[in-house]
Amino acid sequence: MFKKNMIRALFFAIAILLVGTFLDPYNQSQLSVALIIFIAVLSITLLTGASGQISLGQGALMAVGGYASALTILNFNLNLWLAIPIAVLVSALAGLLLGVTAARLSGPYLAGTTLVIALAIPSLANRFESVFAGEIGFSVDFGSSPAWLNKVIGDVPVEKWQLIVTVIFATIALFFALNILNTRTGRSWRALRDHDIAASLQGVNVGRSRIFIFMVTSAFAGMAGALYGLRGIVSPSVYAVSLSLSLLTAAILGGIRNISGAMIGSIIIVFLPDWIGAVTSRLSVPTRISDYLPALITGLLLVATVVLSPGGLSGSIHHKKHK
Amino acid sequence: MKIRASLTRRVFGRATTVTAGIAISALALSALPANAANDPGVTDTEIVLGMQLPQDGPASPGYNKVDDAMRAYFDYVNSKGGVYGRKIRLEVQNDEYKTGKTITTASYLINKAKIFAFIGSVGTQTHLSVVKDINRRGIPDLFVNSGYSGLYTTPSKYPTTFGGLGTYVSEAKILGKYMKATFTTEKIGILYQTDDFGRNTVAGLASAGYTFEARKTAATFVAGTQKDGLDAQMTQLKDNNVEVVVVGAVASAYAAAVASANKIGYKPKKWVVISVGSDATTFQTILYTKGIPLATSAALLGGTITSSHAPAPADATDEFVVAFKKINTDFNKGDKAWDNNVLQGMNIAYQMTSLLVNVGKTGVTRKNIISYLEKNGSSITGAGFAPLGYSATSHVAYTGFWVGAYDATASLKPVGATRQMWTTDSGTGPVTELTWTRPAIGADSLPKGFSAK
């Protein structure tokens, strides 16, 4: 299973790099964003889809990752290859703390608590301004590709370098997600989701498992947050509540219970405004209307998904395949 | 089963190797440097400029008119044949004042629209998210509509970024000097947004000798939250008997503050507002949406002290106002309602045209533009009553302001009998009187030296 998952993850990386090669720089940059969102949505796939716990605050855990990596890069002069793993560890620790609280909660209580966290964590940057730089935030970026890579494949433009970095981390995230879902751990999480008392009778430690789930999924969100910040800035406005809601939207549209759903949802969320823009500019729709269309169409798609295909797009495909 | 597993492994392994090979080759091919050519966005017949601003959302009122005004002036220039035959096209992206979105819109302008330069982008917070990338690529980032001094006072950090306004620090220093002379006994308090705008205002007032006490004479809010009202902040200032309220915030926040003060029965003796926050149209439009008639909001604005580097939009004697108003009427395809935002948009477009005229027909390269502004910035003229302060050591735009007060018809008038210009830096330098005569507007409302050939 371990090897199979590794091959799957490598195939994913190669496919993305191949696709990226044929895209223009703008779409390469958009593809990088989709991959970052994919990593964040994976945290929801595992947390809500696999283990049945609702979180409206994944954006806040992304903020933890973003600030951890920015502070590491700026204060200790470390590169992103070290800063991101540190951000992942810090986010996992934050997830551990959240898990301790959340283990006792479920349903709307858990959703409410995580929403409060989504609101509170970014505003801490203003409260402790000397550490987190308030609204101005930290200016960080992906930097440039290393000289050895430039020697091997020629000068690598900024967008392509972003894509290479995000592909590497998305592949790592995918590999871990596949291993979690397809092993005993994943089965125990699903058991917990379907019937926690039955899971408990089968030897699953409910409380400890829930804390562990929060820890692991926060690590995913932290990784995504660190990469998201490296696009230019780490500040409270980057990790607003709307980000948490966008992640949830992507998870539902794509399908919250499987990994392919996370990828489909992320691509929809990131590229839909561009696709709408391409159509509206051809039809010469005034900007005062076209500016509102992405939000409107996303909302309609969300309603349609919940009503017509609760398993999301990937759920529909899976259903058709097995009919 | 074993045979099947081994076959799968072999097939998977071979496929992976082959695909990896293809991917690496493709990556290498696509990474080959493009042919050296002219800077993007410039041809013999066209110059493409780009800007990003909030066209909707809580931060958009007022500022969402700047792009239409700029486009109107460029359309006017194009109707005269363009600069040396090059028509100017303005590509605009709506970033909704969302930092994450600005990174995407900037990428669109750079990579899809292939702009030559950024011009007049609105918003500090959003611009901070892309300024490093813009500078790294060497793209001119001109006349930025932000007064945050951090963008302009260290050109080695952001060599291609040039301001389009005076800095909040220098403006606050000049207003502070006026306050020191005028409000000798009154208790002074401040309302500011907790970002660079608000903090620069506090820093400028500190240079003028004003300090404030947190949660007493200093009330704060996070930018964007003003849409929910500022009742708590106004109650705090009222409870602490603040008589003069300085506002270091955007116009929607000033309107919210006045509405909240009105609601709780708080009547400060004076409001002193940084110019960005005191735009009359924005102020009145926002209060109108809250059910306050225009005549009432004009009366509420009456007496507000603010400053400006440019003529008041209602100044019918100013030649730039007269010329820009006519162009606005004839060419603006968006919201034509004449105000400070339209004036600012027109002025930026005029200055950009002046810059393109001055660098010459063959001089339109990114490097030339930046070098020209650093060496000859003050030769770029416009409606401002102070020269542009560009040099190799500073990319701050206007270094001078005049202090004015709104009358009951929402027109800004000088506080004295005549308009007096003051100048200072964005550090701790003194505030002194500015004696500088603004060059007259060029013939046909075009910059001097304009040629379509």
Side-chain angles (χ1 to χ4, degrees), chain B residues 95-325:
Chain B
D95 67 8
E96 299 172 35
Y97 207 80
K98 289 180 183 165
T99 317
K101 193 167 179 191
T102 310
I103 298 166
T104 303
T105 55
S107 171
Y108 178 89
L109 290 170
I110 296 165
N111 296 309
K112 278 268 189 201
K114 307 274 183 204
I115 58 165
F116 169 70
F118 281 88
I119 176 176
S121 291
V122 176
T124 305
Q125 198 47 233
T126 44
H127 206 65
L128 276 170
S129 67
V130 292
V131 69
K132 205 172 165 186
D133 187 40
I134 292 171
N135 274 265
R136 185 171 50 184
R137 293 170 194 262
I139 302 172
D141 183 21
L142 311 173
F143 310 113
V144 180
N145 272 304
S146 163
Y148 175 49
S149 58
L151 288 168
Y152 320 118
T153 49
T154 322
S156 56
K157 194 174 176 188
Y158 301 127
T160 73
T161 298
F162 293 81
L165 301 168
T167 67
Y168 304 131
V169 176
S170 57
E171 195 178 347
K173 280 169 73 178
I174 288 167
L175 282 170
K177 183 183 172 78
Y178 169 79
M179 284 159 57
K180 276 275 172 194
T182 314
F183 308 119
T184 49
T185 56
E186 289 84 352
K187 191 170 184 182
I188 315 285
I190 187 167
L191 169 76
Y192 68 94
Q193 52 192 63
T194 54
D195 59 10
D196 48 280
F197 183 176
R199 294 191 198 288
N200 271 200
T201 306
V202 173
L205 290 171
S207 288
Y210 286 107
T211 51
F212 305 97
E213 211 176 333
R215 285 181 280 279
K216 286 191 174 167
T217 55
T220 61
F221 67 97
V222 175
T225 58
Q226 67 267 24
K227 62 183 186 297
D228 304 321
L230 295 167
D231 294 8
Q233 289 83 349
M234 288 301 103
T235 306
Q236 176 200 315
L237 296 179
K238 185 186 179 192
D239 292 347
N240 284 283
N241 304 314
V242 169
E243 295 167 281
V244 174
V245 181
V246 184
V247 180
V250 294
S252 55
Y254 178 42
V258 171
S260 290
N262 215 26
K263 192 167 118 189
I264 62 168
Y266 174 40
K267 290 194 171 86
K269 221 181 238 180
K270 277 288 174 202
W271 296 89
V272 179
V273 187
I274 295 289
S275 58
V276 168
S278 68
D279 177 63
T281 313
T282 314
F283 179 88
Q284 290 189 276
T285 307
I286 289 169
L287 289 188
Y288 188 73
T289 61
K290 292 179 189 289
I292 299 174
L294 291 176
T296 313
S297 61
L300 285 170
L301 186 65
T304 298
I305 303 290
T306 188
S307 54
S308 178
H309 61 266
D315 186 350
T317 63
D318 188 278
E319 59 175 358
F320 277 91
V321 171
V322 173
F324 288 165
K325 259 181 122 166

Side-chain angles (χ1 to χ4, degrees), chain A residues 129 135 155 159-160 237, chain B residues 30-31 99 112 125 137 199:
Chain A
E129 201 198 344
E135 288 288 326
D155 279 341
E159 291 78 12
K160 192 159 283 167
S237 61
Chain B
S30 71
T99 317
K112 278 268 189 201
Q125 198 47 233
R137 293 170 194 262
R199 294 191 198 288

Side-chain angles (χ1 to χ4, degrees), chain A residues 203-266:
Chain A
V204 177
N205 184 325
V206 176
R208 201 175 293 170
S209 292
R210 279 191 176 153
I211 294 169
F212 181 63
I213 291 164
F214 264 99
M215 221 175 108
V216 171
T217 54
S218 299
F220 277 81
M223 182 192 281
L227 290 164
Y228 201 62
L230 287 173
R231 293 174 68 225
I233 197 165
V234 170
S235 71
S237 61
V238 174
Y239 305 97
V241 179
S242 56
L243 177 63
S244 296
L245 301 178
S246 292
L247 298 179
L248 207 57
T249 306
I252 294 168
L253 286 179
I256 207 161
R257 287 199 172 179
N258 55 59
I259 288 171
S260 56
M263 193 62 213
I264 293 169
S266 306

